[in-house]
Amino acid sequence: MRWIMHVDMDAFFASCEQAINPKLKGKPIGVMADPYGRGKKRSVIAAASYEAKRKGVKAGMPPKEAFNLCPDLILVQAHPSFYGYVHNQMLKYARSISSEVENYSIDEFFMTYYGKDPDKVGEEIRRYVKKQFGITCSVGIAPGKILAKMATEEGKPDGLTWWKPQAIPSVYKYLPVSAIPGIGSRREALLNKNGIYTLEDLALTPKPIIKNLMGILGEYYQKIAQGIDETPLITQEPPLKSITRSVTLDASTLSPLVVEAVGRLLCDSLGKGLEEINSRAKELFIFLRYDDMSAESTGMKLEFYTNDPDVIFHNFKMLNKELRPYKQGVRLVGVGMTDIRQHYTPSLFYQEKPNPLKPVVEKIRQRYGYDSIIPANLLLAEPYTSIIAE
């Protein structure tokens, strides 16, 4: 039989930070991209540990509000490079098990499994995550994609839930309609107002009533409530047309050196992003947004396709000179590349010189985070931005 497995990392960003620093385990933490302002700048809580969530702390919450709910909250610097490393390793592991894997988000993926004991595979995945990264994940197994995601939610955190077809009706007797992804508080309130509270209620309601209440989506939600899930896995990612990185500064600046320092960070992130998908690009552009929200941009075509951060940054500096002097304070810096080619074959007439330090630097960053080893000019960016390269 064909099963769909959904793997979701538990409180992913926060769990990664607790794995990096074991002293944080069991404590309420809020992950932020603001290591210098400690919550006094524009940054908000990006993720919260389960200990913090139990006290009401949520992603997107301003630090002041979070501290009101959880006075012992510990703010922690984000390390997106480590999150990306874990994500990529997990995808490699999943693809070693299944030829059909959907990269759903940075902390979750779907995969198919054909066999009698998918729960054993699910347990192997959970053991691998714990041993390899020191974090936990939850696994949902069901006949369909959306059903598997719903099953995962039932077993969170650190659980495995297997919904066999014959067992789904009994589970649906108590699950609220909001268990279906896409049915938020407004739709739930509308259904509740009409006496539809559980998935069993939704499954048994006459179709014309559901269509009248929810329109064309009603049929889709009702099928899910009846255990009919035909949602396909998207295993082929569309070709990438462009890749960008940008950041809003914590304080506006007129200094070209500060813009270059921020650009260095963004170019590192851009090059890493291209390298991770085995791609290179040839057209580079930069853009700046000023205090009055107006923007300027400029671009150029490079001589060769590249994903080398040093090459990208060298050309970033040239483009930055074209936009100087800045007409106002710069509040946002961005860089991007188009004309992307995957599985690129280098030119016979140009060979990039490998940087012997790169493997060592990458190894350090994978273990301790991007900002554990940085170019000296990035120190200029500290008072202006708390971004960490992804």
Side-chain angles (χ1 to χ4, degrees):
M1 182 173 176
R2 176 179 181 266
W3 297 99
I4 303 296
M5 303 181 69
H6 175 244
V7 180
D8 192 356
M9 306 298 170
D10 299 322
F12 184 48
F13 296 167
S15 295
C16 283
E17 295 304 330
Q18 290 173 327
I20 292 171
N21 183 359
K23 292 181 180 179
L24 296 174
K25 288 190 176 181
K27 296 181 180 179
I29 69 171
V31 181
M32 297 181 66
D34 184 4
Y36 308 110
R38 303 304 290 175
K40 296 178 182 178
K41 300 183 181 179
R42 299 179 187 177
S43 189
V44 296
I45 303 292
S49 66
Y50 280 108
E51 295 82 4
K53 287 180 178 180
R54 283 194 284 267
K55 295 186 179 181
V57 179
K58 298 178 182 178
M61 184 175 284
K64 185 176 179 180
E65 185 179 344
F67 278 120
N68 288 336
L69 295 169
C70 182
D72 56 341
L73 181 70
I74 302 171
L75 296 183
V76 179
Q77 173 186 320
H79 292 88
S81 57
F82 182 69
Y83 313 152
Y85 167 72
V86 174
H87 169 75
N88 291 330
Q89 292 299 112
M90 280 305 306
L91 283 180
K92 288 179 183 178
Y93 179 69
R95 286 169 179 148
S96 72
I97 299 172
S98 172
S99 60
E100 299 173 333
V101 177
E102 177 178 341
N103 179 10
Y104 192 71
S105 72
I106 192 170
D107 61 349
E108 57 184 316
F109 61 87
F110 294 91
M111 56 183 279
T112 58
Y113 177 75
Y114 296 85
K116 294 182 179 179
D117 301 306
D119 57 324
K120 292 182 179 179
V121 177
E123 289 295 351
E124 286 177 10
I125 293 173
R126 293 176 64 237
R127 283 194 294 270
Y128 172 83
V129 171
K130 284 182 181 178
K131 181 179 179 180
Q132 198 73 12
F133 311 112
I135 63 177
T136 64
C137 70
S138 295
V139 178
I141 306 169
K145 177 179 173 180
I146 303 303
L147 296 175
K149 186 172 175 64
M150 292 164 63
T152 301
E153 289 300 317
E154 278 295 283
K156 273 186 165 289
D158 193 19
L160 184 146
T161 305
W162 182 10
W163 282 357
K164 300 177 182 179
Q166 62 271 26
I168 289 177
S170 61
V171 174
Y172 278 13
K173 284 181 180 292
Y174 65 85
L175 279 183
V177 289
S178 59
I180 298 179
I183 297 185
S185 56
R186 292 180 63 184
R187 284 176 176 155
E188 182 181 27
L190 176 64
L191 291 170
N192 290 172
K193 186 178 178 181
N194 288 270
I196 304 170
Y197 296 93
T198 67
L199 295 182
E200 184 181 58
D201 295 336
L202 181 57
L204 298 176
T205 301
K207 286 184 180 180
I209 294 177
I210 296 298
K211 186 175 182 181
N212 184 53
L213 288 174
M214 308 184 75
I216 193 169
L217 277 175
E219 182 179 354
Y220 164 76
Y221 290 132
Q222 189 171 51
K223 280 187 175 182
I224 297 296
Q226 292 168 343
I228 303 170
D229 184 1
E230 301 168 342
T231 312
L233 258 64
I234 304 172
T235 57
Q236 289 288 97
E237 296 187 19
L240 191 65
K241 295 183 179 180
S242 67
I243 181 170
T244 61
R245 295 289 189 270
S246 65
V247 62
T248 298
L249 307 185
D250 292 323
S252 299
T253 182
L254 287 167
S255 169
L257 292 178
V258 170
V259 172
E260 281 189 8
V262 175
R264 167 82 259 190
L265 193 59
L266 297 173
C267 290
D268 278 6
S269 177
L270 196 67
K272 184 175 178 62
L274 286 167
E275 184 180 9
E276 286 176 350
I277 57 172
N278 193 25
S279 299
R280 301 185 184 207
K282 194 172 184 179
E283 294 189 16
L284 175 70
F285 61 93
I286 73 170
F287 51 98
L288 305 177
R289 190 173 297 280
Y290 299 107
D291 281 332
D292 66 353
M293 299 305 290
S294 63
E296 279 191 302
S297 65
T298 184
M300 65 188 297
K301 184 171 288 190
L302 307 184
E303 189 175 358
F304 299 100
Y305 287 87
T306 186
N307 58 17
D308 186 332
D310 294 330
V311 173
I312 298 171
F313 179 58
H314 172 75
N315 290 284
F316 174 95
K317 290 191 291 184
M318 294 172 60
L319 293 175
N320 184 37
K321 289 179 181 178
E322 294 181 17
L323 299 178
R324 291 158 44 189
Y326 310 130
K327 63 180 185 179
Q328 291 185 42
V330 176
R331 73 186 307 270
L332 179 144
V333 181
V335 59
M337 297 193 79
T338 59
D339 189 5
I340 297 173
R341 290 190 179 181
Q342 290 185 302
H343 312 294
Y344 172 75
T345 302
S347 167
L348 292 174
F349 305 102
Y350 173 74
Q351 294 292 328
E352 289 182 342
K353 295 179 181 179
N355 183 347
L357 289 177
K358 185 177 178 180
V360 179
V361 170
E362 282 300 308
K363 190 173 182 179
I364 293 171
R365 286 175 172 172
Q366 286 174 2
R367 179 65 183 88
Y368 298 105
Y370 175 87
D371 56 333
S372 60
I373 181 167
I374 60 174
N377 71 332
L378 287 188
L379 297 174
L380 290 171
E382 281 190 8
Y384 292 90
T385 177
S386 50
I387 185 176
I388 305 298
E390 296 180 0

